[in-house]
Amino acid sequence: MKRKMGLLLAIVLLVGTVLAGCSKNNENAAESSNSADPGTGSNASAGASGPDISKPVELTWYLLGDANPDTPKVMDEFNKMLKKDLNATVKLNFTTWNDWSTKYNLLLTAGEKIDMIFASSWAGYFKYAKQGAFMDLTDLLPQYAPEVQGQVPAQDWSDVTIGGKIYAVPNTNPEYTPDGLVYREDWRKELNLPEIKDLDSIEAYMDGIKKNKQGVIPINGSALNEIYTMFLYYHDLHSIGGDSGVVVSKSYDTPRDIVAYPFTPEYEAWVKKTKEWADKGFWSKNTLSSKQEAGDLIKTGTGAIYWRNPPGASGFITDVQKNDPKVELGYFPFTRFHNYAMPTMAIANGMAIPRSAANPERSLMVLDKIRTDPKYYNLITYGIEGYHYDLINDGKNIEMPSKSQDPAKVQAYGIADWGWRNKELMKSGIGGWDGLDKLNEEFSNMTKPDIFSPISMDYDPVKSEYAAVNQVIDQYGKPLMLGLVPDVDKAIQTYRDKLTAAGIDKVLDYVKQQANAYYDEKNIK
Amino acid sequence: MKRKKDPATILFQIIAYSTVTILTVLCLLPFWLVVIGSFTTENEIIGEGFKLWPNALSLDAYHAAFSNPKQILQAYWVTTWITFVGSIAGLFLTSMAGYVLSRGDFKYRNSFAFFMYFTTLFGGGLIPWYILIVKYLALKDSYLVMIIPSLISAWNIILMKNFMKSIPDSIVESARIDGANDFTIYTRLIMPLSTPGLATIGLFLALGYWNDWFTANIFITTEAKYPLQFFLYKILANAAVLRTNIAANLSAVNFTAPAETLKMAVAVIVTGPIVFLYPFIQKYFVKGLTIGAVKG
């Protein structure tokens, strides 16, 4: 009897909590939809009478990465100016790099009062915008950020437009980040190898290094990125919507021709070549399990080639030469295979306003200020003048930290300022690798807009097939890509069979459908 | 008086000693690799892998970890403080709950125990938890958020309850006859009698608080409030991110960290103090197990 009572009580309690949980959820949903409505409502009313800044506000902004130790000091200065001009202060918060994507997701989904947050295609901008995490800025921009509206090129606005609505302010800093290879140029000269300009010279280079340099493996450590990106660029294949596995568009000129590359003759020829390379020892047999970056092994003198994009290469080369000035490194961007380059999408970096923001208007006004007024831009980006930096050459270049300070104590100031970058206000440093400027000039002369990255893919309708296909790529595709199989023809056959069994056709259809929808929307043939 | 050893005993001792020695070495080896790895140069680890004795000793990793000694000391202080307060408060609450559930005259003890146990089977997940703490409890960026959520766990309560059940009821009865009320019985009799149990749970709690970086990761935004584990984990995350393509954007940050050795140095810094906690508590730990066994 007693036991029965206990059980009954437990059940009652249980049911009670479940019900409580449900009602909480409902309340929650109701509240969030409510809070969104008054937000837009008040915007409209404020819009009629012009920006009203009589009420002092504290804005909460979130950036990725870490604060600089001097950030509180810099923000104090910044807020003093801002208080005077816009009657607002900004509290800058950072996600830190630990699990930043989890935290970013929490910040946006939990409905915290955040007035501005970093947004980016690589941080899920399209996904979050479609889920309604960001505020629609289309009507707010002309009112509260008129200068920025004119500053950002139309193409960039179109990059952030989803269904006719603008959800973020992209940065204005055309960047090129194609893949490419960093290599030991001094060894190439020493061994009289041909200059690297196409696939054959790359092969000759690796061959020369392997034969003449004792103990050096051309691509030491993990070689997958080097070979895989080279394959895509060499055959002008394009991943869709970031990383789409084996489903690619066949060329820039025929973007609607979408295939799964393992079924193409180009792939067959390619893996036969890589098999040859692997047998010659251009990379090690355990390269797939190696956790070592090829770049680290260049530093120790046992590797010769490393995969990087141009800004990454610039940082890497500067770093290596600081440690050992005798080492000379060259760079070969894969764009030279087909002689065109796509700039990164404008929304590779930008700022957005979460739907739960308390003061979106003021936030936009502050952003407008930062992006147009050098005083604000320099302070929040480079720190305090005369302490963190000096302007030289009539303000064209920057020297960090300031000459007047002791370099042992004062370091250059730097935070994740990518979201509000504006080419006109940016200062380039002096020193470092001079190749980057040349490359950027080369790219800007052969630029074509990126028509593959903005296609938003969430794979939800084909979730299980997508997971199965990725599993097959890991298990069969990667060894094949690196030629680490005894019999290539048989391995290709197995790979294709497994892909078909995993449901590659369904994934392919889904990608095609998403891509075509995007091309229709943007009028791309 | 010495007993004469026959060959069989000697053989046994040789085998026993060598087995134990080998096992000890096997246990110490990984720890040694971590410690010595933290003193190796980065290039040597990349080029030649971890070694029992490096070609050259280097303090680079510790320089990187202690690049800002004030911050790391502050983090030590935060962690120590949280561990202390959290363990004491958690121990108090857990033992009270365990005591109530172990009392035979508490009518609904089984259903309450079931209700507590039940929560261990299901969880709301990360996002509801986050919303609860940030929106409804408004604990974001507060020291309390690192203490409160892990104060009580159902598992510890059940452990405590079972331990207290082994204390004979007659003790409680005799105290009652002498006129003690429930709380006096709890503080004057039950608590001292359950030191082994308390030590066990205390160790669990202290380790939990000491090792917790996740709550700080999600909820703490002020740098001065970072606990040690998170602070060091953050250094590692920085070192890792500098190796990705994002680093290309971080041109202004001239901080290159030795990643492999840094991991080892961080492990040494973090585990150092807590390792010394074990010998102190182990005493109670062993006693607890034997007492439980004897009294059944």
Side-chain angles (χ1 to χ4, degrees):
Chain A
M1 185 62 204
K2 232 181 208 172
R3 184 169 284 174
K4 261 191 189 150
M5 276 290 288
L7 194 66
L8 197 70
L9 188 74
I11 290 172
V12 169
L13 281 171
L14 174 69
V15 171
T17 31
V18 168
L19 286 180
C22 287
S23 65
K24 267 261 168 63
N25 280 346
N26 290 340
E27 255 170 51
N28 227 344
E31 197 175 323
S32 65
S33 64
N34 277 341
S35 65
D37 278 340
T40 39
S42 67
N43 295 338
S45 61
S49 58
D52 167 27
I53 57 166
S54 56
K55 197 177 104 216
V57 294
E58 192 191 24
L59 304 167
T60 309
W61 284 24
Y62 262 91
L63 294 182
L64 296 189
D66 280 302
N68 186 281
D70 287 335
T71 298
K73 210 156 65 181
V74 170
M75 287 315 288
D76 274 352
E77 288 292 312
F78 185 82
N79 283 331
K80 256 184 241 159
M81 275 163 41
L82 203 58
K83 186 84 199 161
K84 215 165 65 203
D85 288 346
L86 292 176
N87 198 15
T89 54
V90 169
K91 186 173 180 331
L92 212 50
N93 286 337
F94 292 85
T95 61
T96 74
W97 287 119
N98 315 74
D99 295 331
W100 63 269
S101 50
T102 313
K103 274 190 261 184
Y104 190 77
N105 183 23
L106 284 174
L107 290 171
L108 288 177
T109 43
E112 265 182 274
K113 297 262 174 288
I114 298 167
D115 297 292
M116 193 158 271
I117 193 165
F118 176 79
S120 153
S121 50
W122 48 266
Y125 167 73
F126 293 103
K127 187 182 90 188
Y128 289 119
K130 278 190 180 167
Q131 285 172 359
F134 297 131
M135 198 175 270
D136 173 13
L137 305 178
T138 325
D139 302 328
L140 297 178
L141 281 167
Q143 181 75 25
Y144 299 102
E147 303 236 20
V148 165
Q149 202 188 21
Q151 212 173 43
V152 178
Q155 170 67 36
D156 291 3
W157 281 127
S158 110
D159 273 358
V160 293
T161 306
I162 297 169
K165 287 176 179 162
I166 293 169
Y167 292 101
V169 180
N171 76 351
T172 309
N173 176 31
E175 273 187 310
Y176 295 88
T177 53
D179 296 300
L181 296 178
V182 175
Y183 59 92
R184 285 289 294 257
E185 174 77 1
D186 51 346
W187 286 351
R188 187 189 69 77
K189 286 180 185 158
E190 184 191 322
L191 300 171
N192 261 327
L193 298 168
E195 213 168 295
I196 293 191
K197 53 184 195 308
D198 51 25
L199 197 62
D200 291 340
S201 50
I202 293 175
E203 186 173 356
Y205 176 78
M206 291 197 286
D207 206 37
I209 296 284
K210 180 70 198 170
K211 282 194 181 123
N212 298 302
K213 285 279 171 192
Q214 275 286 309
V216 176
I217 297 176
I219 310 178
N220 209 343
S222 142
L224 184 69
N225 285 327
E226 282 79 356
I227 298 304
Y228 175 62
T229 52
M230 190 158 39
F231 166 66
L232 291 185
Y233 275 87
Y234 181 68
H235 287 295
D236 197 23
L237 305 174
H238 296 274
S239 266
I240 289 158
D243 184 16
S244 54
V246 294
V247 180
V248 293
S249 175
K250 265 198 103 172
S251 101
Y252 191 91
D253 302 320
T254 56
R256 285 181 194 243
D257 187 3
I258 291 167
V259 294
Y261 69 70
F263 296 90
T264 60
E266 288 94 341
Y267 177 73
E268 247 171 74
W270 179 266
V271 292
K272 279 186 181 141
K273 193 192 287 289
T274 56
K275 162 81 175 154
E276 229 172 79
W277 290 359
D279 290 345
K280 282 187 188 162
F282 289 176
W283 47 83
S284 64
K285 291 265 176 273
N286 63 357
T287 182
L288 275 177
S289 57
S290 175
K291 289 267 184 289
Q292 288 176 322
E293 290 265 310
D296 288 339
L297 293 152
I298 290 187
K299 287 182 189 166
T300 58
T302 54
I305 289 181
Y306 183 32
W307 152 83
R308 282 287 87 170
N309 64 27
S314 169
F316 179 74
I317 292 172
T318 314
D319 191 35
V320 168
Q321 288 183 336
K322 206 165 61 192
N323 292 334
D324 187 357
K326 283 197 298 281
V327 176
E328 193 191 341
L329 293 168
Y331 184 72
F332 174 77
F334 292 146
T335 49
R336 289 185 193 156
F337 284 137
H338 291 275
N339 289 318
Y340 71 91
M342 293 185 288
T344 51
M345 268 193 299
I347 188 56
N349 297 295
M351 297 301 283
I353 297 183
R355 186 163 261 247
S356 50
N359 296 292
E361 307 87 2
R362 208 72 67 86
S363 229
L364 272 180
M365 288 162 76
V366 176
L367 185 68
D368 199 56
K369 206 76 183 162
I370 292 174
R371 292 192 41 149
T372 50
D373 189 335
K375 246 183 7 194
Y376 281 91
Y377 183 84
N378 291 348
L379 181 59
I380 199 169
T381 312
Y382 302 120
I384 297 161
E385 186 167 9
Y387 183 75
H388 292 115
Y389 72 94
D390 284 328
L391 291 179
I392 47 178
N393 298 341
D394 291 332
K396 274 203 229 49
N397 292 104
I398 193 167
E399 186 160 6
M400 299 184 291
S402 169
K403 267 206 174 128
S404 57
Q405 304 295 320
D406 175 8
K409 281 191 199 133
V410 181
Q411 291 202 329
Y413 184 79
I415 52 173
D417 61 308
W418 320 318
W420 58 70
R421 279 187 181 177
N422 179 15
K423 184 90 186 163
E424 272 174 46
L425 298 178
M426 282 170 74
K427 317 269 180 234
S428 56
I430 41 172
W433 188 52
D434 60 351
L436 187 60
D437 291 337
K438 280 184 218 153
L439 280 174
N440 277 333
E441 200 179 309
E442 177 187 327
F443 296 144
S444 61
N445 287 331
M446 51 184 197
T447 182
K448 289 185 187 180
D450 188 347
I451 51 171
F452 303 103
S453 309
I455 301 168
S456 147
M457 309 288 303
D458 64 6
Y459 294 108
D460 223 30
V462 290
K463 207 163 38 186
S464 54
E465 287 85 0
Y466 183 66
V469 165
N470 278 337
Q471 178 82 31
V472 172
I473 296 174
D474 270 354
Q475 198 180 340
Y476 299 93
K478 286 181 178 175
L480 199 52
M481 179 55 79
L482 290 168
L484 301 170
V485 290
D487 182 342
V488 175
D489 290 317
K490 232 163 83 190
I492 292 177
Q493 198 49 50
T494 323
Y495 186 29
R496 288 176 178 170
D497 291 347
K498 294 279 177 192
L499 279 174
T500 315
I504 185 69
D505 294 332
K506 270 181 104 170
V507 178
L508 183 61
D509 284 343
Y510 174 73
V511 175
K512 270 185 188 162
Q513 180 196 329
Q514 295 296 101
N516 285 334
Y518 174 80
Y519 294 142
D520 289 342
E521 187 190 327
K522 302 272 172 184
N523 280 326
I524 298 167
K525 47 156 182 54
Chain B
M1 196 188 95
K2 236 180 183 179
R3 227 179 66 189
K4 207 183 150 200
K5 288 179 182 164
D6 58 289
T9 321
I10 294 174
L11 186 71
F12 171 76
Q13 284 190 342
I14 289 173
I15 293 174
Y17 273 107
S18 35
T19 313
V20 172
T21 313
I22 290 170
L23 282 178
T24 316
V25 171
L26 282 181
C27 290
L28 283 178
L29 203 62
F31 202 70
W32 171 252
L33 278 176
V34 169
V35 174
I36 205 68
S38 69
F39 288 105
T40 315
T41 56
E42 182 75 8
N43 274 354
E44 197 176 327
I45 288 187
I46 293 169
E48 304 165 44
F50 288 95
K51 287 197 281 195
L52 285 181
W53 191 255
N55 300 336
L57 290 174
S58 137
L59 284 172
D60 285 355
Y62 290 93
H63 277 300
F66 281 99
S67 62
N68 207 331
K70 219 177 89 194
Q71 278 181 315
I72 214 166
L73 288 178
Q74 165 76 15
Y76 252 116
W77 170 244
V78 170
T79 298
T80 316
W81 192 79
I82 285 172
T83 306
F84 183 75
V85 173
S87 307
I88 301 286
L91 215 47
F92 181 67
L93 294 173
T94 309
S95 60
M96 281 213 294
Y99 172 56
V100 169
L101 292 180
S102 72
R103 282 286 295 264
D105 48 354
F106 175 47
K107 201 172 169 188
Y108 301 114
R109 62 184 187 282
N110 282 333
S111 15
F112 268 92
F114 174 77
F115 188 61
M116 284 174 189
Y117 169 69
F118 199 71
T119 60
T120 61
L121 299 178
F122 304 94
L126 185 58
I127 292 176
W129 184 54
Y130 185 85
I131 292 175
L132 175 74
I133 285 179
V134 171
K135 273 184 109 172
Y136 296 98
L137 303 178
L139 284 179
K140 189 161 189 179
D141 203 24
S142 127
Y143 285 117
L144 285 178
V145 78
M146 291 188 271
I147 296 177
I148 291 177
S150 37
L151 268 181
I152 289 196
S153 90
W155 164 249
N156 284 348
I157 290 176
I158 290 165
L159 212 65
M160 204 66 218
K161 179 194 102 174
N162 287 340
F163 186 87
M164 283 173 168
K165 263 194 177 159
S166 69
I167 298 169
D169 267 346
S170 37
I171 294 180
V172 177
E173 271 166 34
S174 70
R176 172 133 310 169
I177 291 165
D178 287 344
N181 64 20
D182 283 331
F183 205 72
T184 320
I185 295 173
Y186 165 67
T187 49
R188 305 273 298 274
L189 289 168
I190 302 295
M191 285 273 261
L193 277 173
S194 37
T195 8
L198 290 175
T200 313
I201 306 274
L203 184 70
F204 285 163
L205 284 168
L207 279 182
Y209 279 112
W210 184 273
N211 287 333
D212 178 33
W213 56 271
F214 188 69
T215 21
N217 181 24
I218 301 184
F219 296 116
I220 303 296
T221 52
T222 311
E223 203 139 319
K225 291 179 186 170
Y226 288 158
L228 184 65
Q229 296 277 4
F230 179 63
F231 183 76
L232 295 172
Y233 185 49
K234 194 168 77 81
I235 298 179
L236 282 188
N238 281 353
V241 98
L242 281 170
R243 289 158 171 263
T244 64
N245 267 335
I246 299 177
N249 283 313
L250 289 163
S251 48
V253 184
N254 46 9
F255 170 78
T256 44
E260 291 301 321
T261 53
L262 188 62
K263 277 181 208 163
M264 301 302 136
V266 163
V268 171
I269 294 169
V270 171
T271 42
I274 206 79
V275 161
F276 293 108
L277 191 69
Y278 274 103
F280 290 111
I281 301 212
Q282 208 177 24
K283 193 166 65 181
Y284 299 102
F285 218 35
V286 174
K287 204 163 132 203
L289 293 178
T290 47
I291 281 183
V294 171
K295 289 196 170 162

